Amino acid sequence: MAQDDLRQLVDEALVALNQAQDPAALEEARTRTFGKKGRLTLLAKTLGQMDAALRVSFGSALNEAKASLMDAFDTRAQILSQAALAQRLQTETQDITLSVRPQQEGTIHPITQTLDEIIAIFSAMDFTVARGPDIETDWNNFTALNLPPTHPARQMHDTFYMPAQGEMPMVLRTHTSPVQIRTMLGQNPPIRIIAPGRTFRCDYDMTHTPMFHQFEGLVIDESTHMGHLKGCFEDFLRAFFGIEDLPLRFRPSHFPFTEPSAEVDIGCSRKDGALVLGNYGDWLEIGGCGMVHPRVLENCGIDPEKYQGFAFGTGIERLAMLKYGIPDLRTFFEGDVRWLKHYGFSSLDIPNLAMGLV
Ligand code: PHE
Protein backbone atom coordinates (compact mmCIF):
# COMPACT_ATOMS: atom_id res chain seq x y z
CA MET A 1 0.00 0.00 0.00
CA ALA A 2 2.56 2.51 1.13
CA GLN A 3 4.76 1.60 -1.86
CA ASP A 4 1.87 2.43 -4.19
CA ASP A 5 1.29 5.73 -2.44
CA LEU A 6 4.96 6.51 -2.80
CA ARG A 7 5.03 5.68 -6.52
CA GLN A 8 1.97 7.77 -7.14
CA LEU A 9 3.39 10.64 -5.14
CA VAL A 10 6.60 10.54 -7.14
CA ASP A 11 4.72 10.45 -10.46
CA GLU A 12 2.52 13.36 -9.50
CA ALA A 13 5.41 15.41 -8.16
CA LEU A 14 7.29 14.85 -11.44
CA VAL A 15 4.28 15.99 -13.43
CA ALA A 16 3.87 19.05 -11.20
CA LEU A 17 7.51 20.08 -11.50
CA ASN A 18 7.51 19.65 -15.25
CA GLN A 19 4.39 21.73 -15.52
CA ALA A 20 5.86 24.56 -13.45
CA GLN A 21 6.71 27.36 -15.93
CA ASP A 22 8.43 29.76 -13.57
CA PRO A 23 10.49 29.63 -10.37
CA ALA A 24 7.50 30.59 -8.16
CA ALA A 25 5.32 27.72 -9.47
CA LEU A 26 8.23 25.33 -9.00
CA GLU A 27 8.73 26.49 -5.42
CA GLU A 28 5.08 25.83 -4.73
CA ALA A 29 5.32 22.28 -6.08
CA ARG A 30 8.44 21.76 -4.02
CA THR A 31 6.63 22.83 -0.83
CA ARG A 32 3.70 20.58 -1.63
CA THR A 33 6.13 17.65 -1.67
CA PHE A 34 8.85 18.45 0.86
CA GLY A 35 7.21 21.11 3.04
CA LYS A 36 6.18 20.58 6.68
CA LYS A 37 2.81 19.37 5.53
CA GLY A 38 4.14 18.12 2.21
CA ARG A 39 3.03 14.75 0.91
CA LEU A 40 6.42 13.14 1.27
CA THR A 41 6.79 14.44 4.81
CA LEU A 42 3.39 13.06 5.75
CA LEU A 43 4.18 9.71 4.16
CA ALA A 44 7.42 9.51 6.10
CA LYS A 45 5.47 9.95 9.32
CA THR A 46 3.64 6.68 8.66
CA LEU A 47 6.97 4.83 9.03
CA GLY A 48 6.53 4.86 12.78
CA GLN A 49 3.45 2.65 12.65
CA MET A 50 4.98 0.02 10.38
CA ASP A 51 6.43 -3.23 11.57
CA ALA A 52 10.19 -3.48 11.63
CA ALA A 53 10.80 -5.37 8.36
CA LEU A 54 8.50 -3.16 6.33
CA ARG A 55 9.91 -0.06 7.93
CA VAL A 56 13.42 -0.92 6.72
CA SER A 57 12.46 -1.60 3.12
CA PHE A 58 9.97 1.26 2.87
CA GLY A 59 12.37 3.60 4.64
CA SER A 60 15.04 3.06 2.04
CA ALA A 61 12.54 3.32 -0.84
CA LEU A 62 11.38 6.59 0.69
CA ASN A 63 14.91 7.94 0.93
CA GLU A 64 15.69 7.00 -2.64
CA ALA A 65 12.51 8.63 -3.90
CA LYS A 66 13.27 11.73 -1.88
CA ALA A 67 16.81 12.02 -3.27
CA SER A 68 15.79 11.55 -6.90
CA LEU A 69 12.89 13.99 -6.54
CA MET A 70 15.20 16.62 -5.05
CA ASP A 71 17.54 16.17 -7.99
CA ALA A 72 14.65 16.52 -10.40
CA PHE A 73 13.52 19.75 -8.69
CA ASP A 74 17.05 21.18 -8.83
CA THR A 75 17.43 20.32 -12.51
CA ARG A 76 14.10 21.90 -13.30
CA ALA A 77 15.05 25.02 -11.33
CA GLN A 78 18.17 25.38 -13.42
CA ILE A 79 16.28 24.95 -16.67
CA LEU A 80 13.77 27.60 -15.62
CA SER A 81 16.40 30.14 -14.65
CA GLN A 82 18.28 29.59 -17.89
CA ALA A 83 15.09 30.04 -19.83
CA ALA A 84 14.38 33.25 -17.93
CA LEU A 85 17.87 34.53 -18.79
CA ALA A 86 17.49 33.60 -22.46
CA GLN A 87 14.18 35.41 -22.47
CA ARG A 88 15.75 38.56 -21.00
CA LEU A 89 18.62 38.44 -23.48
CA GLN A 90 16.12 38.29 -26.28
CA THR A 91 13.77 40.99 -25.12
CA GLU A 92 16.09 43.47 -23.36
CA THR A 93 17.83 45.27 -26.17
CA GLN A 94 20.16 48.26 -25.97
CA ASP A 95 20.72 50.64 -28.83
CA ILE A 96 24.47 50.99 -28.68
CA THR A 97 24.40 53.58 -31.44
CA LEU A 98 22.63 56.01 -29.09
CA SER A 99 24.95 58.65 -27.64
CA VAL A 100 25.01 58.46 -23.84
CA ARG A 101 26.70 61.84 -23.65
CA PRO A 102 25.02 65.19 -23.87
CA GLN A 103 25.59 66.90 -27.19
CA GLN A 104 27.11 69.94 -25.52
CA GLU A 105 30.43 68.43 -24.52
CA GLY A 106 33.06 70.58 -22.83
CA THR A 107 36.65 70.66 -24.01
CA ILE A 108 40.04 70.24 -22.39
CA HIS A 109 41.99 73.52 -22.32
CA PRO A 110 45.15 73.45 -24.47
CA ILE A 111 47.29 74.13 -21.37
CA THR A 112 45.87 71.06 -19.63
CA GLN A 113 46.30 68.99 -22.77
CA THR A 114 49.89 70.14 -23.25
CA LEU A 115 50.67 69.45 -19.61
CA ASP A 116 49.20 65.94 -19.89
CA GLU A 117 51.40 65.33 -22.93
CA ILE A 118 54.50 66.57 -21.08
CA ILE A 119 53.71 64.31 -18.14
CA ALA A 120 53.15 61.32 -20.45
CA ILE A 121 56.59 61.78 -22.01
CA PHE A 122 58.47 62.33 -18.76
CA SER A 123 56.64 59.46 -17.05
CA ALA A 124 58.06 57.20 -19.73
CA MET A 125 61.49 58.56 -18.77
CA ASP A 126 60.87 57.65 -15.10
CA PHE A 127 60.24 61.18 -13.81
CA THR A 128 57.64 61.84 -11.14
CA VAL A 129 55.54 65.00 -10.84
CA ALA A 130 56.28 67.41 -7.99
CA ARG A 131 54.18 70.44 -7.10
CA GLY A 132 54.63 73.60 -5.08
CA PRO A 133 52.40 76.50 -4.01
CA ASP A 134 51.75 79.63 -6.08
CA ILE A 135 52.59 81.82 -3.09
CA GLU A 136 56.23 81.17 -2.21
CA THR A 137 58.73 82.34 0.32
CA ASP A 138 61.28 84.80 -1.01
CA TRP A 139 63.90 82.29 0.15
CA ASN A 140 62.59 79.39 -2.00
CA ASN A 141 61.92 81.61 -5.01
CA PHE A 142 65.18 83.59 -4.94
CA THR A 143 67.71 83.23 -2.13
CA ALA A 144 68.09 79.45 -2.08
CA LEU A 145 68.40 79.58 -5.88
CA ASN A 146 71.48 81.76 -5.49
CA LEU A 147 69.83 85.00 -6.62
CA PRO A 148 71.72 87.73 -4.78
CA PRO A 149 69.62 90.49 -3.17
CA THR A 150 70.54 92.88 -5.98
CA HIS A 151 69.41 90.59 -8.81
CA PRO A 152 67.15 92.47 -11.27
CA ALA A 153 64.46 89.75 -11.17
CA ARG A 154 63.78 90.76 -7.60
CA GLN A 155 62.74 94.25 -8.57
CA MET A 156 59.15 95.24 -8.02
CA HIS A 157 58.33 95.59 -11.72
CA ASP A 158 58.96 91.87 -12.30
CA THR A 159 57.69 90.30 -9.12
CA PHE A 160 54.32 90.39 -7.38
CA TYR A 161 55.14 90.79 -3.69
CA MET A 162 52.70 89.43 -1.12
CA PRO A 163 52.26 90.30 2.56
CA ALA A 164 55.20 88.87 4.54
CA GLN A 165 54.64 85.86 6.75
CA GLY A 166 56.39 86.82 9.97
CA GLU A 167 59.89 87.78 8.97
CA MET A 168 59.70 86.06 5.59
CA PRO A 169 58.86 88.13 2.51
CA MET A 170 56.41 86.27 0.26
CA VAL A 171 56.01 86.41 -3.52
CA LEU A 172 53.83 84.95 -6.23
CA ARG A 173 56.44 82.56 -7.59
CA THR A 174 58.13 83.99 -10.67
CA HIS A 175 59.18 80.56 -11.95
CA THR A 176 58.75 76.88 -11.05
CA SER A 177 62.36 76.66 -9.85
CA PRO A 178 61.43 76.95 -6.14
CA VAL A 179 60.02 73.42 -6.51
CA GLN A 180 63.65 72.35 -7.06
CA ILE A 181 64.41 73.69 -3.59
CA ARG A 182 61.33 72.12 -1.98
CA THR A 183 62.13 68.76 -3.55
CA MET A 184 65.81 68.76 -2.57
CA LEU A 185 64.93 69.76 0.99
CA GLY A 186 62.28 67.06 1.18
CA GLN A 187 64.05 64.04 -0.27
CA ASN A 188 67.50 62.59 -0.72
CA PRO A 189 69.08 61.97 -4.13
CA PRO A 190 68.59 60.30 -6.52
CA ILE A 191 65.97 62.85 -7.62
CA ARG A 192 64.13 62.80 -10.93
CA ILE A 193 61.14 65.14 -11.07
CA ILE A 194 59.25 67.53 -13.26
CA ALA A 195 57.41 70.39 -11.59
CA PRO A 196 54.64 71.99 -13.64
CA GLY A 197 52.46 74.87 -12.52
CA ARG A 198 51.38 78.51 -12.56
CA THR A 199 53.96 81.29 -12.45
CA PHE A 200 53.55 85.08 -12.19
CA ARG A 201 55.32 88.19 -13.44
CA CYS A 202 54.26 91.82 -13.93
CA ASP A 203 54.08 91.75 -17.72
CA TYR A 204 51.37 92.05 -20.34
CA ASP A 205 51.61 92.10 -24.15
CA MET A 206 51.24 89.75 -27.16
CA THR A 207 53.77 87.32 -25.68
CA HIS A 208 53.44 87.95 -21.92
CA THR A 209 50.60 87.52 -19.45
CA PRO A 210 50.93 88.18 -15.70
CA MET A 211 50.04 84.54 -15.04
CA PHE A 212 51.52 81.81 -17.20
CA HIS A 213 52.72 78.24 -16.84
CA GLN A 214 56.14 76.67 -16.69
CA PHE A 215 57.50 73.29 -16.01
CA GLU A 216 60.78 72.51 -14.42
CA GLY A 217 62.89 69.39 -14.65
CA LEU A 218 65.39 68.33 -12.01
CA VAL A 219 67.71 65.34 -11.93
CA ILE A 220 70.23 64.86 -9.10
CA ASP A 221 72.44 61.84 -8.56
CA GLU A 222 76.13 60.96 -8.44
CA SER A 223 76.90 60.82 -12.14
CA THR A 224 74.44 62.81 -14.25
CA HIS A 225 76.24 65.24 -16.55
CA MET A 226 75.58 67.82 -19.26
CA GLY A 227 75.33 65.11 -21.92
CA HIS A 228 72.35 63.63 -20.09
CA LEU A 229 70.75 67.07 -19.95
CA LYS A 230 71.11 67.51 -23.69
CA GLY A 231 69.81 64.02 -24.45
CA CYS A 232 66.88 64.42 -22.08
CA PHE A 233 65.81 67.80 -23.48
CA GLU A 234 66.24 66.52 -27.03
CA ASP A 235 64.21 63.34 -26.44
CA PHE A 236 61.46 65.37 -24.84
CA LEU A 237 61.20 68.04 -27.53
CA ARG A 238 61.31 65.55 -30.39
CA ALA A 239 58.63 63.39 -28.78
CA PHE A 240 56.48 66.39 -27.90
CA PHE A 241 56.53 67.94 -31.37
CA GLY A 242 56.58 64.57 -33.11
CA ILE A 243 59.58 65.65 -35.22
CA GLU A 244 62.24 62.95 -35.15
CA ASP A 245 65.13 65.05 -36.44
CA LEU A 246 64.23 68.34 -34.72
CA PRO A 247 67.61 70.05 -34.23
CA LEU A 248 68.52 71.59 -30.86
CA ARG A 249 71.08 74.28 -30.13
CA PHE A 250 72.49 74.92 -26.66
CA ARG A 251 73.66 78.54 -26.31
CA PRO A 252 75.83 79.50 -23.33
CA SER A 253 73.81 81.70 -21.00
CA HIS A 254 73.49 82.67 -17.36
CA PHE A 255 71.15 81.61 -14.61
CA PRO A 256 72.24 82.15 -11.00
CA PHE A 257 71.12 78.62 -10.03
CA THR A 258 72.92 76.66 -12.76
CA GLU A 259 76.57 76.50 -13.79
CA PRO A 260 77.22 76.14 -16.65
CA SER A 261 73.93 77.46 -18.02
CA ALA A 262 72.47 77.37 -21.46
CA GLU A 263 69.50 78.55 -23.42
CA VAL A 264 67.97 76.00 -25.73
CA ASP A 265 66.84 76.76 -29.27
CA ILE A 266 64.98 74.49 -31.67
CA GLY A 267 65.27 74.56 -35.44
CA CYS A 268 62.62 76.41 -37.41
CA SER A 269 61.85 78.37 -40.53
CA ARG A 270 60.20 81.81 -40.64
CA LYS A 271 59.76 82.01 -44.38
CA ASP A 272 56.90 84.29 -45.48
CA GLY A 273 56.04 84.98 -41.86
CA ALA A 274 54.98 81.38 -41.20
CA LEU A 275 56.76 79.62 -38.37
CA VAL A 276 57.52 75.97 -39.12
CA LEU A 277 59.58 73.74 -36.82
CA GLY A 278 62.29 71.50 -38.23
CA ASN A 279 65.77 71.49 -39.67
CA TYR A 280 65.56 74.71 -41.70
CA GLY A 281 68.55 76.68 -40.42
CA ASP A 282 66.70 79.27 -38.32
CA TRP A 283 66.37 79.08 -34.50
CA LEU A 284 63.71 79.70 -31.86
CA GLU A 285 64.36 79.89 -28.12
CA ILE A 286 62.41 77.31 -26.12
CA GLY A 287 63.86 77.16 -22.59
CA GLY A 288 66.68 77.51 -20.10
CA CYS A 289 68.81 74.87 -18.45
CA GLY A 290 72.11 74.00 -16.83
CA MET A 291 73.95 71.94 -14.26
CA VAL A 292 72.61 72.68 -10.76
CA HIS A 293 74.91 75.20 -9.05
CA PRO A 294 76.88 73.68 -6.13
CA ARG A 295 75.70 76.51 -3.89
CA VAL A 296 72.06 75.57 -4.57
CA LEU A 297 72.83 71.96 -3.58
CA GLU A 298 74.51 73.24 -0.42
CA ASN A 299 71.54 75.45 0.41
CA CYS A 300 69.42 72.29 0.37
CA GLY A 301 71.82 70.24 2.51
CA ILE A 302 73.08 68.13 -0.42
CA ASP A 303 76.83 67.53 -0.65
CA PRO A 304 78.03 69.03 -3.96
CA GLU A 305 81.21 66.95 -3.75
CA LYS A 306 79.10 63.82 -4.01
CA TYR A 307 76.04 64.83 -5.99
CA GLN A 308 75.42 66.71 -9.20
CA GLY A 309 72.68 67.04 -11.76
CA PHE A 310 70.78 69.24 -14.15
CA ALA A 311 67.70 71.44 -14.23
CA PHE A 312 65.69 72.96 -17.00
CA GLY A 313 62.65 75.16 -17.36
CA THR A 314 60.23 75.85 -20.19
CA GLY A 315 57.06 77.84 -20.73
CA ILE A 316 54.03 75.63 -21.31
CA GLU A 317 52.08 78.24 -23.32
CA ARG A 318 55.00 78.60 -25.71
CA LEU A 319 55.01 74.82 -26.31
CA ALA A 320 51.24 74.77 -26.84
CA MET A 321 51.29 77.78 -29.19
CA LEU A 322 53.98 76.21 -31.33
CA LYS A 323 52.43 72.77 -31.48
CA TYR A 324 48.83 73.82 -32.00
CA GLY A 325 49.30 77.02 -34.00
CA ILE A 326 47.82 79.41 -31.44
CA PRO A 327 48.98 82.93 -32.36
CA ASP A 328 48.20 85.10 -29.29
CA LEU A 329 49.20 84.15 -25.76
CA ARG A 330 46.57 86.38 -24.15
CA THR A 331 43.70 84.35 -25.63
CA PHE A 332 44.61 81.41 -23.39
CA PHE A 333 43.17 83.19 -20.38
CA GLU A 334 40.25 85.16 -21.79
CA GLY A 335 37.79 82.33 -21.21
CA ASP A 336 36.15 82.78 -24.63
CA VAL A 337 34.02 79.69 -25.22
CA ARG A 338 34.39 79.96 -29.01
CA TRP A 339 38.18 79.89 -28.60
CA LEU A 340 37.92 76.89 -26.28
CA LYS A 341 35.68 75.04 -28.73
CA HIS A 342 38.19 75.71 -31.49
CA TYR A 343 41.46 74.96 -29.71
CA GLY A 344 40.19 72.63 -26.97
CA PHE A 345 40.54 68.84 -26.92
CA SER A 346 38.07 66.03 -26.42
CA SER A 347 37.91 64.85 -22.83
CA LEU A 348 38.22 61.28 -24.11
CA ASP A 349 41.52 61.88 -25.93
CA ILE A 350 43.84 61.26 -23.04
CA PRO A 351 47.44 61.76 -24.20
CA ASN A 352 49.61 58.68 -24.16
CA LEU A 353 52.70 57.49 -25.97
CA ALA A 354 51.20 54.28 -27.33
CA MET A 355 49.43 55.91 -30.25
CA GLY A 356 51.59 58.99 -30.61
CA LEU A 357 50.62 62.15 -28.79
CA VAL A 358 47.90 63.50 -31.08
N1 PHE B 1 63.69 79.40 -14.00
C1 PHE B 1 64.24 79.84 -15.26
C2 PHE B 1 63.31 80.88 -15.86
O1 PHE B 1 62.20 81.03 -15.41
C3 PHE B 1 64.40 78.71 -16.23
C4 PHE B 1 65.40 77.66 -15.80
C5 PHE B 1 65.03 76.60 -15.03
C6 PHE B 1 66.72 77.80 -16.13
C7 PHE B 1 65.95 75.63 -14.62
C8 PHE B 1 67.67 76.88 -15.75
C9 PHE B 1 67.27 75.81 -15.00
O2 PHE B 1 63.66 81.59 -16.76
mmCIF file of all heavy atoms in Angstrom, residues 248-266:
data_model
loop_
_atom_site.group_PDB
_atom_site.id
_atom_site.type_symbol
_atom_site.label_atom_id
_atom_site.label_comp_id
_atom_site.label_asym_id
_atom_site.label_seq_id
_atom_site.Cartn_x
_atom_site.Cartn_y
_atom_site.Cartn_z
ATOM 1 N N LEU A 248 68.452 70.763 -32.066
ATOM 2 C CA LEU A 248 68.521 71.586 -30.857
ATOM 3 C C LEU A 248 69.848 72.320 -30.830
ATOM 4 O O LEU A 248 70.861 71.796 -31.299
ATOM 5 C CB LEU A 248 68.445 70.699 -29.604
ATOM 6 C CG LEU A 248 67.081 70.549 -28.948
ATOM 7 C CD1 LEU A 248 66.142 69.791 -29.864
ATOM 8 C CD2 LEU A 248 67.211 69.834 -27.615
ATOM 9 N N ARG A 249 69.839 73.531 -30.276
ATOM 10 C CA ARG A 249 71.084 74.280 -30.133
ATOM 11 C C ARG A 249 71.168 74.776 -28.691
ATOM 12 O O ARG A 249 70.224 75.377 -28.182
ATOM 13 C CB ARG A 249 71.069 75.474 -31.105
ATOM 14 C CG ARG A 249 72.330 76.300 -31.065
ATOM 15 C CD ARG A 249 72.322 77.311 -32.182
ATOM 16 N NE ARG A 249 71.462 78.461 -31.866
ATOM 17 C CZ ARG A 249 71.407 79.562 -32.624
ATOM 18 N NH1 ARG A 249 72.114 79.650 -33.740
ATOM 19 N NH2 ARG A 249 70.616 80.565 -32.292
ATOM 20 N N PHE A 250 72.275 74.469 -28.039
ATOM 21 C CA PHE A 250 72.492 74.922 -26.662
ATOM 22 C C PHE A 250 73.424 76.133 -26.704
ATOM 23 O O PHE A 250 74.577 76.013 -27.077
ATOM 24 C CB PHE A 250 73.083 73.791 -25.813
ATOM 25 C CG PHE A 250 72.072 72.724 -25.501
ATOM 26 C CD1 PHE A 250 71.681 71.805 -26.468
ATOM 27 C CD2 PHE A 250 71.487 72.654 -24.245
ATOM 28 C CE1 PHE A 250 70.725 70.833 -26.178
ATOM 29 C CE2 PHE A 250 70.537 71.679 -23.959
ATOM 30 C CZ PHE A 250 70.160 70.767 -24.924
ATOM 31 N N ARG A 251 72.878 77.295 -26.323
ATOM 32 C CA ARG A 251 73.661 78.540 -26.312
ATOM 33 C C ARG A 251 74.098 78.853 -24.898
ATOM 34 O O ARG A 251 73.255 78.864 -23.991
ATOM 35 C CB ARG A 251 72.771 79.691 -26.799
ATOM 36 C CG ARG A 251 72.999 80.126 -28.221
ATOM 37 C CD ARG A 251 72.146 81.341 -28.552
ATOM 38 N NE ARG A 251 70.724 81.117 -28.301
ATOM 39 C CZ ARG A 251 70.033 81.710 -27.346
ATOM 40 N NH1 ARG A 251 70.610 82.578 -26.529
ATOM 41 N NH2 ARG A 251 68.747 81.454 -27.188
ATOM 42 N N PRO A 252 75.392 79.141 -24.674
ATOM 43 C CA PRO A 252 75.833 79.504 -23.325
ATOM 44 C C PRO A 252 75.028 80.687 -22.810
ATOM 45 O O PRO A 252 74.754 81.624 -23.580
ATOM 46 C CB PRO A 252 77.301 79.888 -23.517
ATOM 47 C CG PRO A 252 77.711 79.235 -24.783
ATOM 48 C CD PRO A 252 76.484 79.145 -25.652
ATOM 49 N N SER A 253 74.631 80.639 -21.554
ATOM 50 C CA SER A 253 73.807 81.703 -21.001
ATOM 51 C C SER A 253 74.105 81.820 -19.511
ATOM 52 O O SER A 253 75.060 81.217 -19.017
ATOM 53 C CB SER A 253 72.332 81.382 -21.242
ATOM 54 O OG SER A 253 71.525 82.430 -20.782
ATOM 55 N N HIS A 254 73.260 82.555 -18.802
ATOM 56 C CA HIS A 254 73.491 82.667 -17.364
ATOM 57 C C HIS A 254 72.190 82.552 -16.583
ATOM 58 O O HIS A 254 71.205 83.240 -16.863
ATOM 59 C CB HIS A 254 74.137 84.007 -17.007
ATOM 60 C CG HIS A 254 74.203 84.222 -15.531
ATOM 61 N ND1 HIS A 254 75.121 83.580 -14.721
ATOM 62 C CD2 HIS A 254 73.419 84.954 -14.698
ATOM 63 C CE1 HIS A 254 74.910 83.928 -13.469
ATOM 64 N NE2 HIS A 254 73.885 84.758 -13.421
ATOM 65 N N PHE A 255 72.167 81.636 -15.652
ATOM 66 C CA PHE A 255 71.146 81.611 -14.613
ATOM 67 C C PHE A 255 71.905 81.476 -13.301
ATOM 68 O O PHE A 255 72.883 80.714 -13.239
ATOM 69 C CB PHE A 255 70.188 80.426 -14.770
ATOM 70 C CG PHE A 255 69.408 80.460 -16.055
ATOM 71 C CD1 PHE A 255 69.778 79.657 -17.117
ATOM 72 C CD2 PHE A 255 68.313 81.299 -16.206
ATOM 73 C CE1 PHE A 255 69.065 79.685 -18.310
ATOM 74 C CE2 PHE A 255 67.594 81.340 -17.397
ATOM 75 C CZ PHE A 255 67.976 80.539 -18.446
ATOM 76 N N PRO A 256 71.481 82.203 -12.258
ATOM 77 C CA PRO A 256 72.238 82.150 -11.004
ATOM 78 C C PRO A 256 72.252 80.753 -10.384
ATOM 79 O O PRO A 256 73.161 80.415 -9.627
ATOM 80 C CB PRO A 256 71.491 83.130 -10.094
ATOM 81 C CG PRO A 256 70.638 83.961 -10.992
ATOM 82 C CD PRO A 256 70.347 83.120 -12.198
ATOM 83 N N PHE A 257 71.252 79.921 -10.717
ATOM 84 C CA PHE A 257 71.124 78.621 -10.030
ATOM 85 C C PHE A 257 71.690 77.465 -10.831
ATOM 86 O O PHE A 257 71.566 76.306 -10.420
ATOM 87 C CB PHE A 257 69.657 78.355 -9.649
ATOM 88 C CG PHE A 257 68.672 78.899 -10.654
ATOM 89 C CD1 PHE A 257 68.207 78.101 -11.690
ATOM 90 C CD2 PHE A 257 68.219 80.208 -10.561
ATOM 91 C CE1 PHE A 257 67.308 78.608 -12.624
ATOM 92 C CE2 PHE A 257 67.314 80.724 -11.492
ATOM 93 C CZ PHE A 257 66.862 79.924 -12.525
ATOM 94 N N THR A 258 72.269 77.736 -12.004
ATOM 95 C CA THR A 258 72.921 76.661 -12.763
ATOM 96 C C THR A 258 74.292 77.129 -13.223
ATOM 97 O O THR A 258 74.517 78.312 -13.456
ATOM 98 C CB THR A 258 72.085 76.241 -13.991
ATOM 99 O OG1 THR A 258 71.684 77.414 -14.706
ATOM 100 C CG2 THR A 258 70.870 75.445 -13.600
ATOM 101 N N GLU A 259 75.217 76.194 -13.324
ATOM 102 C CA GLU A 259 76.567 76.503 -13.793
ATOM 103 C C GLU A 259 77.210 75.247 -14.360
ATOM 104 O O GLU A 259 77.402 74.293 -13.604
ATOM 105 C CB GLU A 259 77.402 77.077 -12.642
ATOM 106 C CG GLU A 259 78.806 77.451 -13.029
ATOM 107 C CD GLU A 259 78.874 78.489 -14.145
ATOM 108 O OE1 GLU A 259 78.008 79.385 -14.164
ATOM 109 O OE2 GLU A 259 79.752 78.359 -15.014
ATOM 110 N N PRO A 260 77.522 75.136 -15.632
ATOM 111 C CA PRO A 260 77.221 76.143 -16.648
ATOM 112 C C PRO A 260 75.727 76.198 -16.963
ATOM 113 O O PRO A 260 74.978 75.283 -16.638
ATOM 114 C CB PRO A 260 78.009 75.634 -17.858
ATOM 115 C CG PRO A 260 78.131 74.166 -17.658
ATOM 116 C CD PRO A 260 78.209 73.961 -16.174
ATOM 117 N N SER A 261 75.331 77.283 -17.623
ATOM 118 C CA SER A 261 73.931 77.464 -18.019
ATOM 119 C C SER A 261 73.831 77.581 -19.526
ATOM 120 O O SER A 261 74.794 77.975 -20.185
ATOM 121 C CB SER A 261 73.355 78.755 -17.404
ATOM 122 O OG SER A 261 73.500 78.762 -16.007
ATOM 123 N N ALA A 262 72.671 77.247 -20.013
ATOM 124 C CA ALA A 262 72.471 77.373 -21.462
ATOM 125 C C ALA A 262 71.028 77.718 -21.758
ATOM 126 O O ALA A 262 70.118 77.406 -20.973
ATOM 127 C CB ALA A 262 72.826 76.057 -22.159
ATOM 128 N N GLU A 263 70.845 78.401 -22.882
ATOM 129 C CA GLU A 263 69.499 78.546 -23.416
ATOM 130 C C GLU A 263 69.368 77.584 -24.581
ATOM 131 O O GLU A 263 70.332 77.327 -25.294
ATOM 132 C CB GLU A 263 69.235 79.982 -23.833
ATOM 133 C CG GLU A 263 68.618 80.748 -22.677
ATOM 134 C CD GLU A 263 68.687 82.261 -22.839
ATOM 135 O OE1 GLU A 263 69.692 82.763 -23.345
ATOM 136 O OE2 GLU A 263 67.718 82.912 -22.444
ATOM 137 N N VAL A 264 68.154 77.035 -24.732
ATOM 138 C CA VAL A 264 67.966 76.001 -25.734
ATOM 139 C C VAL A 264 67.113 76.536 -26.872
ATOM 140 O O VAL A 264 66.059 77.123 -26.637
ATOM 141 C CB VAL A 264 67.264 74.769 -25.112
ATOM 142 C CG1 VAL A 264 67.127 73.670 -26.143
ATOM 143 C CG2 VAL A 264 68.039 74.275 -23.914
ATOM 144 N N ASP A 265 67.597 76.376 -28.084
ATOM 145 C CA ASP A 265 66.836 76.757 -29.274
ATOM 146 C C ASP A 265 66.454 75.501 -30.048
ATOM 147 O O ASP A 265 67.180 74.511 -30.030
ATOM 148 C CB ASP A 265 67.691 77.640 -30.195
ATOM 149 C CG ASP A 265 68.158 78.912 -29.510
ATOM 150 O OD1 ASP A 265 67.481 79.350 -28.552
ATOM 151 O OD2 ASP A 265 69.202 79.458 -29.927
ATOM 152 N N ILE A 266 65.324 75.580 -30.743
ATOM 153 C CA ILE A 266 64.975 74.492 -31.666
ATOM 154 C C ILE A 266 64.953 75.040 -33.083
ATOM 155 O O ILE A 266 64.724 76.231 -33.304
ATOM 156 C CB ILE A 266 63.603 73.845 -31.330
ATOM 157 C CG1 ILE A 266 62.520 74.900 -31.158
ATOM 158 C CG2 ILE A 266 63.710 72.987 -30.099
ATOM 159 C CD1 ILE A 266 61.151 74.305 -30.901
#
